[in-house]
Amino acid sequence: MPEDTIEAPAIEGFAAALVRQVRAQDTHGHWETKSDGYLLTPYILDKEARRAIPIIGDPDPDTLWRLELFYGALCLEIERRTKRMVQPMMKMSHEGFGRMVLIAGRLVVVNKSLRDVHRFGFDSLEKLNSEAEKLITQASDMIGKFPEVADY
Amino acid sequence: MPEDTIEAPAIEGFAAALVRQVRAQDTHGHWETKSDGYLLTPYILDKEARRAIPIIGDPDPDTLWRLELFYGALCLEIERRTKRMVQPMMKMSHEGFGRMVLIAGRLVVVNKSLRDVHRFGFDSLEKLNSEAEKLITQASDMIGKFPEVADY
């Protein structure tokens, strides 16, 4: 058994959808032998690991890539559940500050200020899933409240 | 009279608001002696001038800067008229294609696909003003239709 699959826990919920998005980027098949848990490793940062990352200058391109994949997977999951097309738009202003919006029709279904993007990550897989579920619920609620704007 | 002020026509309407935004970027006072018309010159491109600009590769940073100023000034103008804070978000995907949204609260008041951004410009000052008025009217109409989303 290769080392990187030894501790692989069952990947469930939104995390499984995120893994599918990560794998969709793997056009050369480099990650075919990697476990789902291994691919999610960079998303899991405990407090200490987070604090160890300096927040000086602009965030690492890999971190931005992970952030965009996370919100891209969120859009697909919101789409799957609400049957509305959802598009992400990100604005990074400077030094890890920015804004992410997910848009359905003319409705901003998720509006998120980003800060310390250098340290983007979650305490645990459970935290990643619960944070994602919170945002998906927010999005569904907004669409439920303003369907005519989402369908505009 | 310096050459660049000879033909200066009266700058009215949205164009005057745009000039204020351009001048607000002039932190070193380089443009103090320049006329309003001179500062708007790069925004005016007739069909021939537009066709002469190659649409290969990514747009010129100056062009992107002008585009962002144009939509930034639009936001301020919509704010002034509707009393709602409006924020622009731009996504440039590749080779001059992209999307610009202007957002008030949770409402996308202007949604614009961008293409051939390399050639961003207007046939004339009148065209610049009428295009801006069209977008401002669209935004006001959206806010009038969905005020609870704009105020969310």
Side-chain angles (χ1 to χ4, degrees):
Chain A
M1 201 185 239
E3 203 199 320
D4 56 37
T5 62
I6 285 177
E7 303 180 64
I11 306 294
E12 294 173 329
F14 175 75
L18 178 55
V19 165
R20 283 195 293 278
Q21 288 314 299
V22 174
R23 292 204 183 275
Q25 310 295 313
D26 183 29
T27 44
H28 297 290
H30 289 144
W31 301 329
E32 267 172 23
T33 61
K34 307 292 186 192
S35 71
D36 292 352
Y38 176 83
L39 293 181
L40 290 179
T41 310
Y43 281 94
I44 310 304
L45 285 175
D46 61 18
K47 271 210 179 76
E48 228 163 305
R50 202 172 294 134
R51 251 186 236 134
I53 302 172
I55 50 171
I56 294 164
D58 286 324
D60 188 40
D62 285 354
T63 307
L64 288 173
W65 180 82
R66 275 198 300 277
L67 183 92
E68 295 199 65
L69 267 184
F70 176 82
Y71 285 97
L74 258 187
C75 284
L76 288 176
E77 204 47 27
I78 299 166
E79 264 182 52
R80 202 176 61 77
R81 301 199 201 172
T82 67
K83 315 287 176 217
R84 258 87 169 188
M85 225 180 81
V86 182
Q87 296 273 353
M89 285 186 81
M90 181 170 74
K91 181 173 198 158
M92 287 303 300
S93 41
H94 60 94
E95 306 225 332
F97 281 79
R99 183 184 186 190
M100 174 72 80
V101 295
L102 309 187
I103 299 173
R106 290 298 196 100
L107 184 65
V108 176
V109 295
V110 168
N111 182 34
K112 192 122 176 82
S113 297
L114 305 174
R115 59 191 204 101
D116 297 347
V117 162
H118 316 68
R119 296 174 174 174
F120 174 69
F122 303 87
D123 284 332
S124 62
L125 262 183
E126 292 69 37
K127 210 66 198 278
L128 184 155
N129 271 338
S130 65
E131 181 65 19
E133 283 301 327
K134 217 178 69 190
L135 295 171
I136 294 168
T137 305
Q138 270 180 26
S140 308
D141 288 353
M142 281 300 285
I143 293 174
K145 208 176 263 171
F146 304 114
E148 69 281 30
V149 186
D151 292 333
Y152 193 84
Chain B
M1 199 186 243
E3 201 197 320
D4 57 40
T5 61
I6 286 177
E7 303 180 65
I11 306 293
E12 293 173 328
F14 175 76
L18 178 56
V19 165
R20 283 196 294 279
Q21 288 313 301
V22 174
R23 290 202 183 276
Q25 310 295 312
D26 183 30
T27 45
H28 297 288
H30 289 145
W31 301 329
E32 266 171 25
T33 60
K34 307 291 187 191
S35 71
D36 292 351
Y38 175 83
L39 294 181
L40 290 180
T41 310
Y43 281 94
I44 310 304
L45 285 177
D46 60 18
K47 271 212 180 73
E48 227 162 307
R50 201 171 295 134
R51 250 187 237 135
I53 301 173
I55 50 170
I56 294 164
D58 286 325
D60 189 41
D62 285 356
T63 306
L64 287 174
W65 179 83
R66 276 199 299 277
L67 182 91
E68 295 199 65
L69 268 184
F70 175 82
Y71 285 96
L74 257 187
C75 284
L76 289 175
E77 204 48 27
I78 299 167
E79 264 181 52
R80 201 176 62 76
R81 300 199 201 173
T82 66
K83 315 287 177 216
R84 258 88 171 187
M85 225 179 80
V86 183
Q87 296 273 353
M89 286 185 83
M90 181 170 72
K91 179 173 201 159
M92 287 303 300
S93 42
H94 59 95
E95 305 224 334
F97 281 78
R99 185 183 183 188
M100 175 72 82
V101 294
L102 309 186
I103 299 174
R106 290 299 196 99
L107 185 65
V108 175
V109 297
V110 168
N111 182 35
K112 193 125 174 80
S113 298
L114 305 173
R115 57 193 206 100
D116 296 347
V117 162
H118 317 69
R119 295 175 174 172
F120 175 69
F122 302 88
D123 284 334
S124 63
L125 262 183
E126 292 69 36
K127 208 68 198 273
L128 184 154
N129 271 338
S130 66
E131 180 66 18
E133 283 301 327
K134 217 178 69 189
L135 294 172
I136 294 167
T137 305
Q138 270 181 25
S140 310
D141 288 352
M142 279 302 283
I143 293 174
K145 206 175 269 177
F146 305 113
E148 69 282 31
V149 186
D151 292 333
Y152 193 83

